């Protein structure tokens, strides 16, 4: 019996089929990656993001803030991650925050999800699932055993520059479409795009916008 070989869809084709949108196969102009960030720096930012989100979850769950803060602050210092924190994250960590700050940082879960894809801890199918918020359980479990930066760097496998640039290009295109006739969540797209932009620039994460 002869079996017909099924052609694997490209990421762009998969997105177009799934969400019934049209993307330009030629792509659009993107940021030139003058200095692609190093693996260690990417992993450090990912781990810092994870730890801050853990503190956010504890605050929202009304757990003991000082107890949670002290544990997380110790891990951050032990791993040399303070330099990767945004001003908003530092306010949260040092007790100078408002509840509005907590709610703003909750959005960072999608940035974190994008970073997890970049370091190879979640697959492309999850990355391009943009009609629902990220799978928080998957995100946390993917990194839960690597709260030491050396372990995370060893475990991670950064995706190729070509793959990251192509994903950035696709998300940048999706960002420009009219969302009203789709089930795509704009906030999901925009925050994952921020993660992709950060890899391709030397700007601080908090200064990047879409």
């Amino acid at each position: 019996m002869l079996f017909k070989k099924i052609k694997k869809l490209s990421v762009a084709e998969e997105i177009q089929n799934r969400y019934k949108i049209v993307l330009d196969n030629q792509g659009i102009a993107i940021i030139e990656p003058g200095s692609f960030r190093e693996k260690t720096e990417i992993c450090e930012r990912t781990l810092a993001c994870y730890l801050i989100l853990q503190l956010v979850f504890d605050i929202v769950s009304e757990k003991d803030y000082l107890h949670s803060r002290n544990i997380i602050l110790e891990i951050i210092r032990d791993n040399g991650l303070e330099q990767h924190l945004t001003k908003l994250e530092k306010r949260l960590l040092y007790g100078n925050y408002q509840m509005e700050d907590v709610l703003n940082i909750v959005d960072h879960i999608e940035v974190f999800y994008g970073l997890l894809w970049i370091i190879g801890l979640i697959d492309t199918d999850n990355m391009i699932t943009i009609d629902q918020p990220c799978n928080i359980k998957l995100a946390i479990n993917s990194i839960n055993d690597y709260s030491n930066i050396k372990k995370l760097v060893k475990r991670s496998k950064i995706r190729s520059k070509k793959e990251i640039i192509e994903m950035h290009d696709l998300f940048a295109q999706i960002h420009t479409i009219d969302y009203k006739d789709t089930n795509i969540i704009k906030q999901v797209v925009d925050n994952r795009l921020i993660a992709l932009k950060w890899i391709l620039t030397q700007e601080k994460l908090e200064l990047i916008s879409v």
Side-chain angles (χ1 to χ4, degrees):
M1 181 182 293
L2 295 176
F3 292 91
K4 184 178 180 181
K5 186 176 181 180
I6 300 175
K7 180 185 176 183
K8 185 178 180 181
L9 295 177
S10 68
V11 176
E13 289 170 332
E14 179 64 37
I15 290 173
Q16 291 182 109
N17 288 348
R18 191 181 298 188
Y19 303 111
K20 310 304 180 190
I21 59 176
V22 177
L23 299 176
D24 183 354
N25 291 330
Q26 299 303 313
I28 60 175
I30 65 167
I31 299 169
E32 282 296 323
S35 181
F36 198 82
R37 292 184 188 268
E38 296 294 327
K39 179 179 183 179
T40 298
E41 182 184 8
I42 297 170
C43 289
E44 286 173 344
R45 177 55 210 167
T46 305
L47 182 55
C49 198
Y50 163 70
L51 292 168
I52 291 297
L53 285 168
Q54 288 283 31
L55 182 57
V56 167
F57 297 151
D58 287 348
I59 292 172
V60 171
S61 302
E62 298 184 344
K63 294 183 179 179
D64 186 330
Y65 167 78
L66 285 178
H67 177 71
S68 297
R69 192 280 305 268
N70 290 341
I71 291 173
I72 288 169
L73 183 56
E74 182 178 0
I75 297 172
I76 284 174
R77 286 176 172 167
D78 286 348
N79 287 279
L81 304 178
E82 285 182 286
Q83 62 180 316
H84 296 290
L85 299 176
T86 66
K87 291 179 181 178
L88 178 59
E89 291 166 344
K90 287 177 180 176
R91 287 205 300 272
L92 192 76
L93 196 59
Y94 297 115
N96 303 316
Y97 69 90
Q98 304 294 325
M99 204 58 202
E100 182 182 354
D101 295 329
V102 176
L103 297 176
N104 287 336
I105 287 183
V106 168
D107 284 344
H108 290 192
I109 187 70
E110 297 295 346
V111 178
F112 174 56
Y113 211 63
L115 292 170
L116 289 175
W117 176 81
I118 290 164
I119 65 174
L121 294 188
I122 64 168
D123 62 27
T124 296
D125 185 66
N126 280 291
M127 179 65 172
I128 64 173
T129 298
I130 50 179
D131 57 348
Q132 56 187 295
C134 71
N135 184 331
I136 295 179
K137 185 175 181 180
L138 174 67
I140 297 302
N141 288 344
S142 69
I143 198 174
N144 209 27
D145 295 331
Y146 306 105
S147 57
N148 176 290
I149 191 60
K150 289 182 179 178
K151 289 182 179 178
L152 182 60
V153 170
K154 185 176 180 180
R155 168 67 179 80
S156 301
K157 185 176 181 181
I158 302 294
R159 295 180 186 275
S160 70
K161 292 181 182 181
K162 181 177 182 291
E163 194 174 3
I164 293 172
I165 290 171
E166 286 179 350
M167 186 65 79
H168 170 277
D169 190 36
L170 290 172
F171 269 74
Q173 288 186 66
I174 297 167
H175 166 73
T176 65
I177 68 171
D178 186 347
Y179 286 81
K180 69 179 182 181
D181 294 323
T182 76
N183 56 353
I184 295 173
I185 301 174
K186 187 177 188 299
Q187 198 172 27
V188 169
V189 173
D190 289 355
N191 280 290
R192 293 183 195 178
L193 179 55
I194 286 173
L196 294 162
K197 278 182 176 289
W198 179 73
I199 298 300
L200 304 177
T201 72
Q202 288 303 303
E203 286 193 59
K204 292 182 179 180
L205 191 65
E206 60 196 318
L207 298 178
I208 294 175
S209 68
V210 294

